[in-house]
Amino acid sequence: MLTTEQKQLFQTNGYVVLSEYFSAADMQSLKSEAQAIVEQFDPNSTRAVFSTQDQSKSRDDYFLQSGDKVRCFFEEEAFNESGELQQEKAVSINKIGHALHTLNPVFKKFSHDPRIRQVANDLGLLAPQIHQSMYIFKQPKIGGVIRWHQDGTYFLSDPLSVVTFWIAVEDATIENGCLQVKADGSDTPLREQFMRFADDSTELKVLDDTPWPKDEDARPLEVKKGSLVVFDGLLPHFSAPNRSAKSRHAFTLHVTCATTQYDPLNWLQAEPSPL
C-alpha cells in the first residue's frame, strides 16, 4: 500500500500524509454516527471536560474509567461561570472516547478496515493492536488548544511502538486548528510519561528536559477531508485553538505492536483489539 518513498518519509520525519485516502462517504458515515452518539448523550450526566493544559482534569474518574467505554467530554469553554452550557450540546462536545473501535458497530468496522491494517503492517507493526479511539470535534469558536506532546507519553511500550492514525473527517486548515508537527522530523527523546497508579492517582513524569518546539517553528498539516496522517510516538505535535466558524472533526486510533511490552503504568489498560 505504501510506496518506498512514503515509508522513508515516515522513518525520516516521523509522519506521512496520505491525501484523501478515504472517501467522502466514509467520512460522512463517521460524522453521522458521532452526531447520533452526541444526540443520545445526556449533558446533565457529567461536567467532565478534556484538557491537555490542566493535567488535574485527567485525574477525573470519568476520564480514567473510559478506556473500555464510549463517553463524551466537553470543551473547556463550553460552560459559563454558573456551570451552564453556553451553546447547544451538539457544538459543546470536545471528543468521544475511548472504545469506539470495539463498542460502536460503525466505528468498529471502520477501525478494522483492511486499508488501515495494511498501512500498519507497511510501517513495521507486524501484530498491530488498537488501544484507543477518539472522535474529536474541535468545535467552532471554542475548540481548545492541545498542547505540545508525544503520543508515546500515553502509550509507552518496550520498545516504543505506538503509531497514531489521524483521519480528517472534515477539511483541516490553519484557521480551524489543524494538526501541527515538529518541522524537522521526529529525532527527539520521549519527554514525558503519563502514569496511573493502583489508587488511580496520576503523574505526568518528566523523562527528558529537551524543550518543546516553538509554535512558530511548527509545520501545519493542512489536509482535505478523508486524508490520513500517520505518525510515530516520538513526534512532537500540537493544535491551536479553533476560533473560526468551522469545526474540525477528526477520528484517531492509537495502535501498538503486540510483540512489544505495554507499560503497566499506562493510564489505559483495557484489552487491546487486534487490528
Side-chain angles (χ1 to χ4, degrees), residues 12-244:
T12 302
N13 297 329
Y15 72 95
V16 65
V17 178
L18 306 180
S19 297
E20 298 177 87
Y21 189 65
F22 299 103
S23 70
D26 287 333
M27 298 301 94
Q28 185 56 52
S29 176
L30 298 185
K31 187 174 183 178
S32 297
E33 188 65 15
Q35 290 169 335
I37 292 171
V38 172
E39 179 62 30
Q40 296 170 16
F41 169 63
D42 178 4
N44 295 313
S45 64
T46 179
R47 283 294 186 265
V49 302
F50 178 76
S51 170
T52 61
Q53 294 290 94
D54 183 353
Q55 287 298 321
S56 67
K57 291 181 172 60
S58 296
R59 293 194 288 271
D60 185 272
D61 285 345
Y62 185 82
F63 173 83
L64 290 175
Q65 296 172 8
S66 65
D68 57 355
K69 299 177 180 66
V70 174
R71 289 182 168 175
C72 295
F73 299 84
F74 288 106
E75 292 280 6
E76 282 192 278
E77 297 179 28
F79 302 100
N80 61 24
E81 292 180 358
S82 301
E84 301 298 323
L85 286 177
Q86 302 191 87
Q87 57 282 306
E88 294 295 320
K89 174 181 67 172
V91 289
S92 299
I93 303 299
N94 168 281
K95 72 172 184 176
I96 306 170
H98 292 95
L100 290 162
H101 62 288
T102 59
L103 298 180
N104 179 280
V106 172
F107 283 100
K108 182 177 182 179
K109 180 179 179 181
F110 180 83
S111 300
H112 294 84
D113 189 297
R115 290 171 291 181
I116 295 177
R117 182 168 58 250
Q118 183 62 57
V119 172
N121 290 154
D122 287 350
L123 295 178
L125 296 175
L126 302 181
Q129 54 185 5
I130 305 171
H131 287 272
Q132 173 179 279
S133 50
M134 297 187 295
Y135 190 94
I136 304 168
F137 292 88
K138 202 75 170 182
Q139 300 287 7
K141 306 295 185 182
I142 63 168
V145 63
I146 300 297
R147 72 175 185 91
W148 280 102
H149 67 284
Q150 298 159 295
D151 286 357
T153 291
Y154 304 95
F155 298 93
L156 191 61
S157 65
D158 186 17
L160 187 65
S161 68
V162 65
V163 172
T164 300
F165 289 73
W166 191 99
I167 299 107
V169 178
E170 299 178 326
D171 291 352
T173 66
I174 193 69
E175 287 77 18
N176 67 5
C178 68
L179 193 67
Q180 300 197 47
V181 303
K182 183 175 182 285
D184 57 349
S186 67
D187 184 16
T188 179
L190 185 65
R191 293 163 171 80
E192 300 169 331
Q193 179 185 3
F194 182 66
M195 301 183 293
R196 176 184 179 183
F197 303 102
D199 62 356
D200 276 350
S201 63
T202 61
E203 177 188 349
L204 187 63
K205 181 180 180 181
V206 175
L207 304 178
D208 190 287
D209 60 4
T210 298
W212 293 106
K214 296 180 180 179
D215 291 3
E216 58 267 28
D217 294 333
R219 177 175 294 162
L221 300 183
E222 295 188 291
V223 295
K224 291 291 188 180
K225 174 173 60 178
S227 297
L228 170 63
V229 182
V230 192
F231 53 94
D232 69 26
L234 290 179
L235 180 69
H237 58 285
F238 88 105
S239 65
N242 180 13
R243 302 307 181 201
S244 78

